[in-house]
């Protein structure tokens, strides 16, 4: 057999029905639409408005935004050059949104800019369940607000999406990363802590000790976790202002009855964070348990060339992982939509009439199916059944000449004859709010 093409490993097709790729169930397109519209609905309650930025960005934007020494930039970028230009398929959307904010002077819209997004991201990671090379994020960025209420609103908007979808048993962890002024003192303390154990560290951590010691706190290696547990804690190094901000965040979370645990070693995998950092985990997801994460990034604007810092905070969440959490809780998602009516034709004249009638009914807003393969009436009825059409309109040449058609209720099997002049009114009564199979 001639060789056909396959999708690239770590990417997947979203088909009309749920499908399985590499042992993982990928939800069908109707389920994606349902989840996406839920996200939009819930985030708009927070008065967030959508922003869409390009998938292609300047590599330098991501390198400077996310951080030169992060895994994302050193190992995971899909980057390429064309002539003098360096492009990257965006691995995340925070730096792009900040770029757009600065480029378009969005502060001129007034107040804090509250933006949300949904879209694909790309990271050249080793694919496995819950970790892909093309994945989808939704998230929000609140830019131009230093107040801790912005941090807590961001967290609340993130949680609201999971709550609306019925995904419970998530764990929210929070920490403060302090200010950039105190960070070097903490990093020195970390270095001093790990240096005597250099020989025991993995190659990755040894490298991080020289380039980005904070990242060692992210290690998953068992014996290194013990060392991490005894490491100095960030909270003991942060200044008064940062501590006050963190305390207010916690108070406001309490005010909203949001349950959290403090994790003094939560540092996140991107370099732009200052003050608040948080992660939402779902233990049912195993290794890729991080549903979402975010924090404050007051220096990103300056890192991207702005003349002064801009207070900003946001979160991003993986949609594939959200689906895994839905599956873990056996939440039933919408399936493929069914047509309101299936038009069955018997004879050439009837086939032409049906073709025109379908167009008329679609203008009325109905979801109309008909045969496009020239099949027998029996085969058309079978197809209507397969598509779970609740009703069929059966039209024959002779009946047409007599000015009547048959309407069949596929559930009860009842069939009635109606005059052609009444078809429109009758079928309009069949319209449903997207029934699904
Ligand atoms: P992140 O933690 O790198 O943060 O990604 C956020 C979420 O995206 C993760 O919690 C995870 O659910 C999902 N995710 C990341 N990588 C993959 C992957 N390879 N496959 C599937 N899902 C993945 C950010 O991206 C920051 N921009 C978050 C943020 C927004 N901070 C401030 N504002």
């Amino acid at each position: 057999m001639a060789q056909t093409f396959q999708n690239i490993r770590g990417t997947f097709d979203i088909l009309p029905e749920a499908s399985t790729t590499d042992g993982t169930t990928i939800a069908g397109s109707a389920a994606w639409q349902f989840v996406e519209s839920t996200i939009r609905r819930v985030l708009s309650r927070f008065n967030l408005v959508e922003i869409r930025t390009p998938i292609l960005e300047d590599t330098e934007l991501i390198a400077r935004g996310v951080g030169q020494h992060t895994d994302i930039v050193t190992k995971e970028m899909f980057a390429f050059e064309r002539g003098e230009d360096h492009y990257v398929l965006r691995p995340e959307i925070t730096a792009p949104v900040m770029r757009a904010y600065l480029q378009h002077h969005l502060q001129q819209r007034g107040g804090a800019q509250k933006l949300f997004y949904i879209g694909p991201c790309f990271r050249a990671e080793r694919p496995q369940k819950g970790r892909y090379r093309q994945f989808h994020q939704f998230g929000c960025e609140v830019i131009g607000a230093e107040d801790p209420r912005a941090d807590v609103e961001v967290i609340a908007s993130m949680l609201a999406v999971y709550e609306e979808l019925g995904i419970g048993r998530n764990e929210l962890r929070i920490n403060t990363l302090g200010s950039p002024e105190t960070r070097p003192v903490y990093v020195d303390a970390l270095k001093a802590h790990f240096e005597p154990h250099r020989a025991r560290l993995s190659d990755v951590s040894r490298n991080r000790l020289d380039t980005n010691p904070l990242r060692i706190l992210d290690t998953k290696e068992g014996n290194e976790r013990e060392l991490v547990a005894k490491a100095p804690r960030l909270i003991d190094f942060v200044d008064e202002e940062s501590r006050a901000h963190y305390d207010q965040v916690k108070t406001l979370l309490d005010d909203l009855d949001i349950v959290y645990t403090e994790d003094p070693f939560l540092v996140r995998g991107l370099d732009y964070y200052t003050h608040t950092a948080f992660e939402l985990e779902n233990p049912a997801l195993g290794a890729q348990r991080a549903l979402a994460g975010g924090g404050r990034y007051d220096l990103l604007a300056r890192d991207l060339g702005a003349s002064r810092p801009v207070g900003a905070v946001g979160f991003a969440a993986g949609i594939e992982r959200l689906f895994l959490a839905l599956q873990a809780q056996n939440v039933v998602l919408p399936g493929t939509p069914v047509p309101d009516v299936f038009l069955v034709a018997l004879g050439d004249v009837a086939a032409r009439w049906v073709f025109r009638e379908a167009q008329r009914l679609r203008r009325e807003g109905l979801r109309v199916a008909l045969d496009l393969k020239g099949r027998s009436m029996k085969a058309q009825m079978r197809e209507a059944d397969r598509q779970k059409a609740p009703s069929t309109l059966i039209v024959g040449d002779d009946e047409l000449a007599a000015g009547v058609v048959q309407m069949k209720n596929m559930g009860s099997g009842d069939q009635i004859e109606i005059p052609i002049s009444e078809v429109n009114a009758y079928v309009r009564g069949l319209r449903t709010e997207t029934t699904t199979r």
Side-chain angles (χ1 to χ4, degrees), residues 359-430:
Q359 189 73 348
R360 279 195 291 273
L361 293 173
R362 286 166 181 160
R363 286 206 183 100
E364 302 273 336
L366 283 126
R367 180 183 276 266
V368 181
L370 53 85
D371 174 53
L372 292 177
K373 293 169 70 139
R375 285 182 284 194
S376 70
M377 180 174 157
K378 204 166 141 201
Q380 291 180 54
M381 292 303 289
R382 252 203 321 267
E383 180 59 19
D385 226 19
R386 196 192 62 78
Q387 293 197 20
K388 297 204 165 53
S391 303
T392 46
L393 183 74
I394 305 165
V395 187
D397 285 356
D398 297 345
E399 286 166 303
L400 210 51
V404 292
V405 297
Q406 303 288 324
M407 269 315 309
K408 181 169 181 179
N409 179 321
M410 299 294 277
S412 64
D414 295 346
Q415 194 164 318
I416 55 164
E417 191 171 276
I418 53 172
I420 282 183
S421 56
E422 285 173 25
V423 166
N424 253 21
Y426 194 93
V427 175
R428 229 178 291 143
L430 300 173

Side-chain angles (χ1 to χ4, degrees), residues 123-386:
R123 295 185 193 176
E125 298 191 82
R126 197 163 51 80
Q128 54 187 276
K129 189 172 181 176
R131 195 203 272 176
Y132 307 96
R133 295 189 147 191
Q134 175 172 349
F135 60 99
H136 299 77
Q137 280 190 345
F138 70 92
C140 84
E141 312 295 346
V142 176
I143 307 182
E146 272 138 39
D147 195 293
R149 278 179 301 177
D151 309 38
V152 174
E153 231 192 48
V154 161
I155 293 174
S157 68
M158 169 183 82
L159 297 176
V161 172
Y162 297 96
E163 189 181 313
E164 181 85 1
L165 287 165
I167 302 173
R169 298 192 286 272
N170 300 323
E171 292 167 11
L172 175 67
R173 292 184 297 124
I174 63 167
N175 191 20
T176 178
L177 295 183
S179 64
E181 292 78 40
T182 52
R183 188 85 54 83
V185 186
Y186 177 64
V187 170
D188 284 346
L190 268 189
K191 271 191 187 152
H193 170 75
F194 286 113
E195 193 61 57
H197 307 286
R198 185 178 272 273
R200 270 177 65 194
L201 296 177
S202 64
D203 290 348
V204 174
S205 292
R206 218 173 296 138
N207 189 24
R208 286 173 171 172
L209 187 52
D210 298 321
T211 56
N212 199 351
L214 272 182
R215 289 273 90 73
I216 301 179
L217 301 180
D218 277 340
T219 182
K220 302 278 182 292
E221 311 240 347
N223 63 335
E224 292 185 356
R225 296 266 2 132
E226 283 169 32
L227 273 180
V228 166
K230 292 190 204 126
R233 291 162 179 250
L234 242 162
I235 189 71
D236 298 325
F237 288 77
V238 304
D239 55 27
E240 269 312 302
E241 191 195 329
S242 198
R243 189 183 296 265
H245 185 95
Y246 188 49
D247 285 342
Q248 286 181 61
V249 166
K250 287 189 283 181
T251 304
L252 291 164
L253 286 171
D254 292 338
D255 284 351
L256 298 191
D257 294 325
I258 294 174
V259 179
Y260 57 87
T261 53
E262 290 182 68
D263 177 350
F265 299 119
L266 174 69
V267 286
R268 309 265 308 124
L270 304 96
D271 276 354
Y272 45 59
Y273 295 110
T274 49
H275 305 294
T276 318
F278 57 85
E279 237 162 47
L280 187 71
E281 294 188 337
N282 186 301
L285 302 194
Q288 310 306 324
R289 54 180 36 211
L291 281 181
R296 184 162 270 289
Y297 50 93
D298 294 344
L299 295 184
L300 178 60
R302 217 179 57 189
D303 290 346
L304 298 184
S307 50
R308 19 178 176 172
V310 179
V313 56
F315 82 86
I319 301 185
E320 290 74 12
R321 293 187 191 178
L322 182 153
F323 272 114
L324 289 174
L326 284 169
Q327 280 163 19
Q329 279 181 229
N330 298 317
V331 176
V332 179
L333 294 168
T336 318
V338 306
D340 294 316
V341 63
F342 195 107
L343 308 189
V344 174
L346 184 63
D348 292 341
V349 179
R352 284 189 66 190
W353 184 87
V354 153
F355 199 62
R356 285 198 309 272
E357 183 62 13
Q359 189 73 348
R360 279 195 291 273
L361 293 173
R362 286 166 181 160
R363 286 206 183 100
E364 302 273 336
L366 283 126
R367 180 183 276 266
V368 181
L370 53 85
D371 174 53
L372 292 177
K373 293 169 70 139
R375 285 182 284 194
S376 70
M377 180 174 157
K378 204 166 141 201
Q380 291 180 54
M381 292 303 289
R382 252 203 321 267
E383 180 59 19
D385 226 19
R386 196 192 62 78

